[in-house]
Amino acid sequence: MKEVEINVDLNHREKLRRLHTATHIVNYSARKVLGNHVWQNGSNLKAEFGTLDITHYDNLSEKEIYEIEKIANETIFENKKVQVEELDRGDAEKKYGFVLYQGGAIPMKKLRIIHVFDSDIEACGGIHMQYTGGIGIVKIIDATKIQDGVIRLKYVVRDYALDFISDRQAILNEACSVFTVSPTQLPKTCEKFFNEWKEQKKDIEKLKNQLKTSYIEQIISSRKKSFLISGDWDMGFLLDIFNSVVNEIPSFKLESEKFIFATNDLKVEKFKKQIPKGKFNIYVM
Ligand SMILES: [Zn+2]
């Protein structure tokens, strides 16, 4: 006779048990917050997170997600008993209606009915906690519309929830240290810097345009055939100057650190790349 060794990963099973029970709780909480049109449309469990697809017409707001999470966690903190009731299919349908089958149809004569709350009733063959307290804590980490009328909630429980919160705290602290402000000051500080940056960008554009005009006037009045602009200017800035000048001085060369613009009659030596532009060339230095 052959010996067969069977290993049951109890740790993994325990994780799934917590996560699966949390699925019932999140589903119930979502219905409580969003309304009775919320129906379980599917769910998927990995050891580290679970997803629950619910029927709902709109994306969820931050406040709605917070409310769902709050009700779900209160249920965990209250350490409710998860009731399991076995009923014949006919009796079960008469007693509870088709809400039983929101987790999917179950082809059995006898149904195993799970109650996490008075109003959360679902026929389910999955593994459950005896009490909700063992879930520890549930954290909704994402809510995305996956198709019209279906929102996917992604959530973690217990140590995975703590890790998620710690990771977010670390990111927040890192961002705060950039500005040397406290977390409560961070949103206002970001807004202030962003607005300042936008204003400065506008100022820079204005100054660049003034400088451009000044260069053009200076070159044209000097009638110089070659002009050197010091500084690390972008191609667009130089091109605007060059185009304005060649209207007045048909043979002209504009030099900068990175680029040389020269009409076709003028030779340029030692360059990395030549870009022909019809009546002139751009040389990348
Ligand atoms: Zn279940």
Side-chain angles (χ1 to χ4, degrees):
M1 213 163 105
K2 261 190 183 176
E3 265 187 46
V4 179
E5 201 178 313
I6 297 170
N7 284 312
V8 177
D9 187 343
L10 289 177
N11 192 23
H12 183 74
R13 200 178 149 84
E14 207 44 41
K15 284 176 184 173
L16 291 182
R17 190 193 294 277
R18 281 186 211 119
L19 212 46
H20 177 72
T21 309
T23 307
H24 284 282
I25 296 177
V26 172
N27 188 34
Y28 161 81
S29 310
R31 204 176 316 131
K32 195 99 179 151
V33 172
L34 303 170
N36 283 330
H37 61 276
V38 168
W39 206 257
Q40 180 174 330
N41 197 48
S43 87
N44 192 8
L45 302 180
K46 305 239 186 290
E48 61 275 22
F49 66 87
T51 60
L52 169 70
D53 300 340
I54 54 166
T55 50
H56 184 59
Y57 44 81
D58 208 356
N59 283 314
L60 304 192
S61 68
E62 288 283 326
K63 192 168 177 284
E64 285 167 333
I65 295 170
Y66 171 77
E67 290 294 333
I68 294 169
E69 212 175 74
K70 197 173 159 213
I71 292 174
N73 280 304
E74 276 165 4
T75 312
I76 292 167
F77 302 155
E78 284 166 13
N79 199 22
K80 295 197 178 217
K81 185 157 173 51
V82 178
Q83 309 271 359
V84 181
E85 182 186 14
E86 298 222 337
L87 282 176
D88 284 327
R89 177 182 285 277
D91 293 340
E93 285 175 6
K94 214 178 278 170
K95 195 169 170 188
Y96 299 117
F98 285 96
V99 71
L100 286 173
Y101 302 125
Q102 59 177 313
I106 295 176
M108 314 273 268
K109 275 194 170 167
K110 252 198 180 332
L111 295 185
R112 208 162 142 252
I113 296 155
I114 308 304
H115 304 244
V116 181
F117 314 88
D118 298 338
S119 55
D120 177 70
I121 295 139
E122 199 176 317
C124 180
I127 46 168
H128 304 88
M129 316 279 298
Q130 276 192 301
Y131 290 91
T132 59
I135 297 167
I137 180 172
V138 62
K139 179 92 195 130
I140 297 171
I141 60 172
D142 193 36
T144 317
K145 192 181 200 171
I146 54 162
Q147 68 187 67
D148 249 6
V150 181
I151 305 290
R152 174 164 294 169
L153 298 172
K154 189 173 171 185
Y155 47 92
V156 284
V157 299
R158 213 163 129 140
D159 39 341
Y160 291 97
L162 281 182
D163 285 350
F164 178 83
I165 294 165
S166 298
D167 286 352
R168 286 298 155 110
Q169 182 72 47
I171 293 167
L172 182 62
N173 289 345
E174 203 182 324
C176 285
S177 74
V178 171
F179 296 108
T180 40
V181 294
S182 67
T184 50
Q185 292 169 306
L186 188 63
K188 270 207 170 336
T189 307
C190 287
E191 202 185 334
K192 184 175 154 262
F193 274 95
F194 183 64
N195 286 335
E196 274 178 24
W197 171 78
K198 277 197 293 190
E199 282 306 312
Q200 283 170 356
K201 212 173 148 200
K202 271 190 227 160
D203 287 346
I204 290 170
E205 269 318 298
K206 220 160 110 185
L207 288 170
K208 266 174 94 175
N209 281 333
Q210 284 173 6
L211 191 61
K212 237 187 262 177
T213 311
S214 150
Y215 271 131
I216 292 164
E217 284 169 5
Q218 192 189 334
I219 299 166
I220 291 172
S221 64
S222 74
R223 308 301 299 175
K224 276 185 180 164
K225 289 185 80 173
S226 168
F227 193 86
L228 176 72
I229 291 184
S230 57
D232 181 16
W233 295 103
D234 59 85
M235 207 188 257
F237 178 83
L238 297 166
L239 187 62
D240 285 349
I241 297 173
F242 181 79
N243 279 334
S244 296
V245 171
V246 285
N247 283 336
E248 304 290 329
I249 307 170
S251 175
F252 178 65
K253 184 164 77 176
L254 182 67
E255 291 184 62
S256 77
E257 275 174 26
K258 277 189 185 166
F259 308 102
I260 293 178
F261 292 70
T263 47
N264 287 342
D265 58 315
L266 300 174
K267 286 269 171 287
V268 170
E269 280 164 14
K270 285 185 189 168
F271 51 82
K272 273 190 200 146
K273 199 175 146 194
Q274 180 181 359
I275 309 166
K277 287 282 178 189
K279 289 182 178 172
F280 66 96
N281 290 288
I282 301 173
Y283 301 90
V284 182
M285 306 313 286

